[in-house]
Amino acid sequence: MAIFEGAGVALITPMNEDLSVNYNKLEEIIEEQIAGGTDAIIACGTTGEASTLTVEEHLDAIKRTIEIVNKRIPVVAGTGSNSTETAVEFSKEAEKYGADGVLVVSPYYNKATQKGLIKHFTSIAEGIDIPVLLYNIPGRTGVNIEPETIAYLVNNVENIVGVKEASGNFSNAIKTLRLCPQIDMYSGNDDQVVALMSIGAKGVISVLSNVAPRQTHEMCKAVLDGDIFKARKMQIEALDVINNLFAEVNPIPVKAAMNLQGKNVGPLRLPLTPMEKAHEEVLAKAMKEYGIL
């Protein structure tokens, strides 16, 4: 059983003006996501600015998210770190809080060999009983989790069940699915959702869902229902918004987009800075044309 099928939102972490985490706003945007049909909440990932949260904030944001959702939809906790020990401890805490699974990015900066990746992910999975999703995003981490490595882990470690595939490499994605067809694969790129689902992915872990939860859910549902023509149309219609949500490094544009929508999710923590005005204007135009502003 997959943790979820369809559109999981890679949720932003709202901030107060003093850069503290805004937990009241967190509850508000989670309720909006659930009302919009989002199929799962992914807390404290890249989009959630996990890398600039303190340990206490990171764990508290996960705990509060789980409490707010209250089992209405699955919650997947981002518990990755470039320290294996830290990732193990975060994952244990997330399981204790009631997370339905964890999303674990490959070690960044210090990287690792493929052998090192196997040991890293295995250590995390062996420390918990809930499902583990690998997170392959070489553009952020500097290392690709090779298809053979993913397949080894899924085939040999019971609770490593899937991967968020954000490499953009379709050849590797297809090879991964051939080597372990039972894998729960999720697109990590909003512009490739329908294409990746067409070859066997279960859905997406989405930035777009922050500003368009209903549309992202419906696009995934169309694929799962076999209506590829509807899904393809929706994917193409969303393209300009998606491209502009990545005009600067994520989550700069998506926070700007949510603030344009009047959601008041607050600023970003350094080293992230506000979106350039020229980029924001183009983003706003795309959002208006898409019907979400």
Side-chain angles (χ1 to χ4, degrees):
M1 251 331 246
I3 301 172
F4 73 96
E5 289 188 341
V9 61
L11 197 70
I12 64 104
T13 299
M15 304 286 181
N16 294 302
E17 288 305 314
D18 65 359
L19 295 179
S20 60
V21 176
N22 186 339
Y23 290 106
N24 289 333
K25 183 61 65 172
L26 179 66
E27 181 171 2
E28 184 180 312
I29 62 176
I30 288 172
E31 293 298 339
E32 288 175 353
Q33 286 294 319
I34 294 173
T38 290
D39 298 292
I41 303 285
I42 290 78
C44 294
T46 305
T47 312
E49 296 180 74
S51 58
T52 55
L53 297 177
T54 66
V55 170
E56 292 77 14
E57 288 171 332
H58 191 142
L59 294 176
D60 199 33
I62 290 170
K63 185 177 182 182
R64 294 286 287 273
T65 298
I66 292 167
E67 289 172 348
I68 294 163
V69 173
N70 194 26
K71 296 296 180 183
R72 287 176 288 174
I73 58 175
V75 175
V76 179
T79 57
S81 172
N82 60 346
S83 161
T84 304
E85 184 179 355
T86 300
V88 169
E89 290 307 312
F90 278 12
S91 300
K92 286 181 176 179
E93 288 298 304
E95 180 178 35
K96 185 171 72 176
Y97 301 152
D100 296 281
V102 295
L103 176 67
V104 186
V105 71
S106 57
Y108 43 87
Y109 187 74
N110 52 7
K111 303 184 181 180
T113 63
Q114 298 300 305
K115 181 179 178 181
L117 291 176
I118 288 171
K119 289 183 175 293
H120 174 79
F121 290 123
T122 300
S123 296
I124 296 165
E126 288 179 344
I128 56 176
D129 293 320
I130 57 176
V132 176
L133 299 177
L134 312 177
Y135 183 8
N136 188 31
I137 184 164
R140 290 265 190 176
T141 64
V143 62
N144 188 59
I145 313 174
E146 297 296 336
E148 293 83 359
T149 301
I150 296 171
Y152 176 87
L153 288 162
V154 172
N155 289 328
N156 289 279
V157 184
E158 184 177 5
N159 59 326
I160 296 181
V161 300
V163 62
K164 177 183 178 183
E165 180 51 69
S167 70
N169 188 325
F170 275 89
S171 296
N172 277 359
I174 293 169
K175 188 174 184 181
T176 300
L177 287 162
R178 181 175 65 81
L179 292 171
C180 49
Q182 78 276 25
I183 193 171
D184 297 331
M185 183 178 286
Y186 300 93
S187 175
N189 297 313
D190 282 307
D191 61 345
Q192 299 174 351
V193 179
V194 174
L196 207 58
M197 289 185 74
S198 74
I199 61 169
K202 297 290 178 69
V204 61
I205 295 176
S206 170
V207 175
L208 176 66
S209 282
N210 283 282
V211 292
R214 177 63 62 187
Q215 293 89 333
T216 313
H217 165 78
E218 290 295 334
M219 177 171 61
C220 292
K221 185 176 185 298
V223 181
L224 295 169
D225 289 346
D227 192 346
I228 196 69
F229 296 102
K230 177 182 177 181
R232 182 178 66 185
K233 183 174 182 289
M234 295 186 75
Q235 178 78 86
I236 292 169
E237 287 173 347
L239 187 60
D240 282 350
V241 171
I242 292 166
N243 287 342
N244 282 287
L245 285 174
F246 293 90
E248 295 182 25
V249 68
N250 179 47
I252 290 174
V254 72
K255 270 199 161 178
M258 294 179 77
N259 286 329
L260 284 169
Q261 289 179 318
K263 297 187 187 301
N264 301 317
V265 297
L268 303 131
R269 287 186 177 177
L270 288 171
L272 301 181
T273 52
M275 194 174 193
E276 296 291 336
K277 200 65 183 174
H279 291 163
E280 188 176 294
E281 289 171 359
V282 178
L283 171 61
K285 180 176 182 290
M287 291 171 68
K288 287 175 183 174
E289 291 173 351
Y290 188 52
I292 57 172
L293 185 61

